[in-house]
Structures are given as structure tokens and as C-alpha cells.
């Protein structure tokens, strides 16, 4: 993940144990990357995975079809739903 020199960048500082710093520097060198590129190549995909896991809901094709059907043809309100609606404040 090479960074163009004309791209604006932000600085990110962390405190790290010397042994961890040495290990990261060694891993970066073995990967033929500088430390910043090595860290970004490892952290950014992990951050994307965490965000996706939190924000994306995956369902099977069968369930997706069922969800669409329920959205297009919602069931009639039952007594519990009518009571919940009646209990709502006038302004939300």
C-alpha cells in the first residue's frame, strides 16, 4: 500500500513496548515494506472487517425474499402492536 507523496496524510501516534516495536520493524523488513506501510496493510483490512461485521447484515436468498415480501405485504396489526402504538407519546 504505497502512499503517493502528494497525498495529504494524518499522523497517528501510539505508545508501544520496545519489543513490539522491534518485532513490527522486523516483520516490515521481511515483507519489504516500511513500517508505516506494513502497519496500514494489516490494520486497514481489519478495520474494514470490523466495520462490516457491525454494519452489514447478511441473509440467505430465501430470507431476503421473505423480508422483501413482508415489506411489500406487511401483516395486519395485531392487538400487541395496536397497544404499543397507543402507548407512544404524541410527539417523538
Amino acid at each position: 500500500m504505497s502512499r503517493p507523496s502528494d497525498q495529504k496524510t494524518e499522523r497517528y501516534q501510539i505508545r508501544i513496548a520496545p519489543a513490539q516495536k522491534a518485532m513490527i520493524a522486523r516483520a516490515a523488513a521481511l515483507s519489504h515494506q516500511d513500517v508505516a506501510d506494513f502497519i496500514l496493510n494489516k490494520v486497514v483490512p481489519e478495520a474494514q472487517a470490523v466495520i462490516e461485521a457491525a454494519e452489514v447484515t447478511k441473509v440467505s436468498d430465501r430470507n431476503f425474499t421473505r423480508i422483501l415480501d413482508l415489506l411489500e405485504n406487511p401483516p395486519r396489526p395485531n392487538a400487541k402492536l395496536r397497544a404499543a402504538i397507543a402507548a407512544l407519546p404524541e410527539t417523538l
Side-chain angles (χ1 to χ4, degrees):
M1 176 178 220
S2 179
R3 293 166 298 179
S5 59
D6 60 338
Q7 183 181 7
K8 291 184 179 182
T9 59
E10 296 283 333
R11 183 176 208 73
Y12 201 93
Q13 295 181 0
I14 62 170
R15 296 206 177 269
I16 186 170
Q20 291 172 322
K21 182 178 179 182
M23 181 173 41
I24 292 168
R26 181 175 177 211
L30 290 169
S31 300
H32 307 290
Q33 300 175 50
D34 65 30
V35 172
D37 285 339
F38 178 80
I39 291 170
L40 286 175
N41 285 332
K42 301 302 179 189
V43 172
V44 170
E46 181 64 21
Q48 290 170 331
V50 168
I51 291 167
E52 182 176 321
E55 295 180 348
V56 174
T57 301
K58 296 182 180 182
V59 296
S60 67
D61 289 342
R62 178 177 160 263
N63 287 340
F64 184 72
T65 301
R66 177 75 174 129
I67 291 167
L68 289 180
D69 181 54
L70 287 169
L71 288 171
E72 292 175 359
N73 306 299
R76 297 183 70 132
N78 61 22
K80 285 185 178 182
L81 179 57
R82 286 192 297 276
I85 292 170
L88 288 173
E90 291 295 320
T91 58
L92 290 177

